[in-house]
Amino acid sequence: MRILYLLFAVIFLLFQAAPGSADPLFADTAECRSNGNFCRAGACPPTFAASGSCHGGLLKCCSK
């Protein structure tokens, strides 16, 4: 009976989705990060400029 618990745990780990394997939810976020930029909720840091939006316009894409 104990083997069933171990078997269930192994099957659960095998079918678990790998992080980052899914398609990005927002295309603008993927585009921002592919250019080497990052997303931020508030204003960009002083040496960075806002170059677009992320998460469907909720965040700013900050670039050097």
Side-chain angles (χ1 to χ4, degrees):
M1 196 67 178
R2 290 183 188 185
I3 192 77
L4 290 178
Y5 294 115
L6 181 62
L7 184 63
F8 177 71
V10 170
I11 290 173
F12 178 73
L13 290 175
L14 285 176
F15 290 109
Q16 188 176 8
S21 66
D23 292 331
L25 187 58
F26 297 103
D28 56 351
T29 302
E31 182 181 350
C32 177
R33 291 187 179 167
S34 69
N35 293 331
N37 304 330
F38 62 94
C39 299
R40 187 155 180 172
C44 295
T47 58
F48 293 88
S51 63
S53 64
C54 296
H55 292 290
L58 297 174
L59 303 177
K60 294 178 183 173
C61 180
C62 299
S63 63
K64 267 262 190 227

